[in-house]
Amino acid sequence: MADRRKVAAVTPASENNQENERQFMDKNNVTGMIKDLLTKIIANRPDDPISFIANYFETMTLDDQSNDLVNRAVQVLNLTHHSRPVFESNMRSAFSILSRYKITKKLHGVNGTVHSLLMQALCKKLPSAVTIRLFKRLECGEYEAVTYDVFRSSVFTCCVLNDYIAMCGNLFDMLDLQKTGKADKNLCEAALEQLRTALASTRTDVKR
């Protein structure tokens, strides 16, 4: 009899605790965040899921200052390679994040200033000689409103250029057989000839 009273006394408290836990989860949208995270993991299929999860939660702790918005947008763009279909969705998310940039007290959006900050962040690993010429082509006026199409074109340009520079670096390392920082001239000319042949063949196939 005493045992039954003890169980009866404990059960309501346990139910209240469970209810409070559910309320806590709902109030802080924990369940929604976890569902969103799992959806993004499945869509992006990252090579390193742990780093992906860490970056996801890091983006949620940033403020709405311009640099933080840019950092958050860059992290979203880096979730997956630009060749994957889900990258389009990530770009829209990044643009939405940058749209919170405060231009005036009542006006928010993506202007030339925040656009330039994003381009600099995306191309920070590129040689300065390359980025200077690139930014001249992609540059928008400081107070110019940047549309999604302009944003999308700029992001793709930066991503493709990053890939190109990385591939060039890898090719140079392969041709630098002695690891002296200088590639053999004959090997370079042979490699360039192979690239020209491949490009010519590709153009012929396209025309067909």
Side-chain angles (χ1 to χ4, degrees):
M1 189 72 176
D3 291 340
R4 290 182 180 178
R5 285 197 299 269
K6 185 176 181 181
V7 171
V10 172
T11 301
S14 299
E15 290 178 351
N16 288 335
N17 287 337
Q18 290 177 359
E19 184 176 355
N20 290 336
E21 290 169 359
R22 285 196 296 270
Q23 289 175 348
F24 171 79
M25 298 282 281
D26 292 339
K27 181 178 68 176
N28 293 281
N29 193 32
V30 175
T31 303
M33 287 189 292
I34 297 300
K35 286 182 178 178
D36 181 59
L37 172 59
L38 293 176
T39 300
K40 290 185 180 299
I41 289 177
I42 293 172
N44 289 278
R45 299 183 184 277
D47 294 330
D48 186 353
I50 301 301
S51 296
F52 183 95
I53 293 171
N55 289 334
Y56 173 84
F57 284 113
E58 184 179 352
T59 61
M60 303 185 72
T61 62
L62 299 174
D63 296 326
D64 284 350
Q65 301 299 319
S66 59
N67 287 334
D68 283 340
L69 289 175
V70 170
N71 290 335
R72 189 184 304 181
V74 169
Q75 288 179 334
V76 170
L77 292 171
N78 286 336
L79 289 177
T80 191
H81 192 264
H82 62 85
S83 62
R84 300 198 59 187
V86 73
F87 187 74
E88 183 72 39
S89 175
N90 291 348
M91 276 200 298
R92 291 191 177 278
S93 296
F95 186 78
S96 178
I97 290 170
L98 293 178
S99 295
R100 296 167 59 182
Y101 176 70
K102 187 175 182 181
I103 300 174
T104 64
K105 288 184 178 180
K106 297 183 179 180
L107 182 62
H108 294 74
V110 182
N111 63 3
T113 299
V114 73
H115 175 268
S116 296
L117 290 174
L118 179 68
M119 297 302 102
Q120 292 169 17
L122 290 175
C123 299
K124 63 182 180 181
K125 294 182 180 180
L126 299 183
S128 58
V130 174
T131 56
I132 289 173
R133 297 181 63 182
L134 175 66
F135 293 158
K136 284 183 179 180
R137 291 181 175 274
L138 301 181
E139 186 178 18
C140 295
E142 184 177 353
Y143 298 104
E144 179 182 351
V146 177
T147 64
Y148 176 73
D149 287 340
V150 172
F151 166 84
R152 182 178 183 275
S153 177
S154 297
V155 169
F156 263 122
T157 300
C158 291
C159 290
V160 171
L161 185 58
N162 271 290
D163 277 1
Y164 175 77
I165 295 296
M167 292 174 66
C168 288
N170 291 335
L171 178 59
F172 182 85
D173 290 339
M174 292 174 62
L175 298 176
D176 181 15
L177 300 179
Q178 304 299 323
K179 304 304 177 186
T180 60
K182 295 181 180 180
D184 183 83
K185 182 179 179 181
N186 292 329
L187 286 176
C188 288
E189 290 178 348
L192 288 174
E193 184 59 33
Q194 289 292 324
L195 289 172
R196 292 191 190 98
T197 302
L199 287 172
S201 176
T202 302
R203 289 169 182 165
T204 302
D205 291 340
V206 170
K207 289 180 180 179
R208 290 177 183 174

